[in-house]
Amino acid sequence: MPIRVQNDLPVKEILEQENIFVMDEYRAAHQDIRPLSIGLLNLMPLKEDTELQILRSLSNTPIQVDVTFVRMTSHVSKNTSTSHIYKFYEPFESIRDKKFDGFIITGAPVEQMPFEEVDYWKELKTIMDWTKENVTSTLHLCWGAQAGIYHHFGINKTDLPKKLSGVYRHRVRNRRIPLVRGFDDIFMAPHSRHTEVPQELLEADERITILADSRQAGVFLCMAQDGRQIFVMGHPEYDRMTLDSEYRRDMGRGLNPQLPENYYPDDDPENKPVLSWRSHANNLYTNWVNYYVYQATPYDLYGTPRA
């Protein structure tokens, strides 16, 4: 699938080197089709890394996608240059009158704070409410999933005894649902978090359907409103070396982190990690785009009163 991005987006060159079809604005403007419009609210600190990971994940269906990067106006990113943010990201206020086929809300490094103490929580609540009327399907990732479940369903996260970091085995709960179509019975996926949404509370809420879980990592994937809201508790978009970078970062900060589980061969951080989750990650994003965005969205977003 061609991904339309701005001509000078830095990660565009990396995607092209990986033979991912990236279409610039000029070429996209000369195609007589309506691409899918997907917004990305990127709350991760290293925004260019997340841009690359998400764009790579969206590149595996034959549908053209027009991606809009969205930023908070109530928060200033400290780990990505201001010039990059203001050049490539739209403030929410400038897109709130638009409609999107799909929308992605990423994780954020604030999971150990109460939601109400996050400096952009009020704005995020506004955005999550806005998605219910202006987006066909919204995909929430990691902390974004915890935030969405708390805001929409009132189920709060709880602290884990220690950080959950590694690559874990998961089982598919109901393969009749298109979101997990093509998944193996057992699949691997990365997690990196200090908190969780208790599985027993999700199980008890009839509004939420659990699609995949893990004995070690708990719920991985669930959805509501027939897929208009999808929640992914892990990080299927992570690169091979992302957990390694987090581990070495925490080591450098003197935090004495535990090794990510099921990640380094022989539990030796000098060994190159095995990439064991990419195919299912691609499948997840492809199924989301195909079954919950493309096949559910109207051709004319603005000609339909409710997306």
Side-chain angles (χ1 to χ4, degrees):
M1 163 178 59
I3 302 288
R4 191 201 73 83
V5 297
Q6 295 185 42
N7 298 346
D8 49 354
L9 184 72
V11 301
K12 179 173 180 285
E13 182 178 351
I14 300 174
L15 292 167
E16 290 173 334
Q17 291 171 355
E18 296 180 8
N19 292 320
I20 291 174
F21 187 4
V22 181
M23 182 178 294
D24 62 28
E25 297 164 304
Y26 176 80
R27 183 172 179 182
H30 289 78
Q31 291 202 331
D32 189 21
I33 62 173
R34 182 179 88 74
L36 292 180
S37 179
I38 293 182
L40 172 61
L41 180 62
N42 187 356
L43 303 174
M44 294 291 280
L46 302 177
K47 299 199 183 302
E48 291 185 60
D49 289 353
T50 303
E51 293 164 12
L52 177 61
Q53 292 166 7
I54 298 295
L55 291 175
R56 183 190 288 125
S57 297
L58 290 172
S59 68
N60 289 285
T61 76
I63 305 163
Q64 183 178 323
V65 171
D66 184 347
V67 179
T68 300
F69 297 130
V70 181
R71 63 177 172 87
M72 294 290 196
T73 55
S74 54
H75 177 76
V76 177
S77 177
K78 299 177 182 178
N79 297 284
T80 302
S81 70
T82 302
S83 60
H84 182 90
I85 297 294
Y86 280 87
K87 183 173 185 179
F88 297 110
Y89 282 73
E90 297 284 342
F92 171 66
E93 288 302 319
S94 73
I95 59 98
R96 70 180 305 159
D97 292 332
K98 298 181 180 179
K99 292 185 182 292
F100 288 82
D101 301 295
F103 202 79
I104 300 172
I105 300 174
T106 73
V110 293
E111 59 180 302
Q112 292 178 288
M113 300 172 59
F115 291 113
E116 289 80 5
E117 292 184 10
V118 176
D119 62 359
Y120 51 78
W121 179 243
K122 182 177 179 180
E123 184 178 7
L124 180 58
K125 289 196 300 179
T126 299
I127 293 173
M128 290 189 290
D129 286 337
W130 167 87
T131 64
K132 293 191 292 185
E133 298 293 333
N134 295 278
V135 177
T136 302
S137 179
T138 302
L139 185 66
H140 307 71
L141 303 177
C142 201
W143 181 84
Q146 296 180 353
I149 287 172
Y150 177 65
H151 178 62
H152 295 301
F153 305 104
I155 303 175
N156 206 346
K157 57 184 171 65
T158 59
D159 292 332
L160 292 168
K162 62 178 181 179
K163 183 178 181 180
L164 183 75
S165 176
V167 183
Y168 300 93
R169 288 166 55 93
H170 301 76
R171 60 169 181 159
V172 173
R173 293 271 296 264
N174 188 342
R175 62 175 53 260
R176 293 182 179 180
I177 295 179
L179 191 59
V180 291
R181 186 166 293 171
F183 276 51
D184 294 329
D185 290 341
I186 301 295
F187 66 95
M188 307 299 289
H191 290 261
S192 178
R193 49 188 168 83
H194 294 271
T195 57
E196 69 174 357
V197 180
Q199 181 159 348
E200 63 273 15
L201 298 181
L202 294 172
E203 298 271 14
D205 196 315
E206 295 181 351
R207 298 170 294 178
I208 298 171
T209 302
I210 298 175
L211 303 180
D213 61 7
S214 164
R215 289 183 179 180
Q216 291 177 287
V219 173
F220 172 72
L221 179 64
C222 59
M223 72 179 193
Q225 294 189 330
D226 294 325
R228 289 201 64 195
Q229 295 172 331
I230 294 172
F231 307 97
V232 184
M233 303 299 179
H235 282 288
E237 78 284 353
Y238 265 13
D239 291 332
R240 179 196 304 268
M241 303 305 294
T242 306
L243 288 173
D244 176 76
S245 297
E246 293 180 354
Y247 171 71
R248 297 184 188 280
R249 175 202 64 198
D250 291 347
M251 285 287 290
R253 293 174 176 175
L255 300 178
N256 193 28
Q258 293 188 344
L259 281 174
E261 296 185 77
N262 312 311
Y263 183 58
Y264 298 113
D266 301 321
D267 282 337
D268 183 350
E270 298 307 313
N271 290 334
K272 184 178 181 180
V274 174
L275 183 59
S276 60
W277 62 90
R278 177 64 57 78
S279 61
H280 281 84
N282 288 343
N283 204 5
L284 174 62
Y285 279 90
T286 298
N287 287 344
W288 175 62
V289 169
N290 183 22
Y291 296 114
Y292 297 90
V293 180
Y294 174 65
Q295 294 193 29
T297 196
Y299 181 81
D300 182 1
L301 281 171
Y302 295 91
T304 303
R306 181 185 177 96

